[in-house]
Amino acid sequence: MRDTAKTLNDMTPRERANLMTLVADALEATADEAQEIGDERFAANSISLARIISGCAEDVATMDLPAAELLLQHGISLIALFRDGARPVLH
């Protein structure tokens, strides 16, 4: 049976950290794939966001949850854009 979705507020610090690590790992994998097809800018942006999220995962118990939510939303959106074949213009 599937668990009900939780907000970051409802998660324990460990669950939040695990979620952030999961998204960071997915971004790193996306960066590797982007690099393999020659999309260096997308790869650089993906790895940068992955590192930011990874750095925040350690402080998730004390961090600003709206900021964490925004980082996760951006990370998940970036992964989805790559999977859909869209390449946003990022700087």
Side-chain angles (χ1 to χ4, degrees), residues 30-45:
T30 300
D32 290 342
E33 291 177 41
Q35 198 164 29
E36 286 175 12
I37 62 170
D39 195 338
E40 296 298 323
R41 183 178 298 210
F42 199 91
N45 283 299

Side-chain angles (χ1 to χ4, degrees), residues 22-80:
L22 180 71
V23 172
D25 290 347
L27 280 164
E28 288 179 5
T30 300
D32 290 342
E33 291 177 41
Q35 198 164 29
E36 286 175 12
I37 62 170
D39 195 338
E40 296 298 323
R41 183 178 298 210
F42 199 91
N45 283 299
S46 294
I47 201 70
S48 293
L49 186 53
R51 288 178 180 158
I52 292 167
I53 292 172
S54 291
C56 292
E58 296 171 11
D59 299 325
V60 76
T62 59
M63 76 180 296
D64 182 18
L65 291 185
E69 183 177 359
L70 186 60
L71 285 171
L72 290 169
Q73 286 173 351
H74 283 297
I76 292 166
S77 294
L78 196 59
I79 294 164

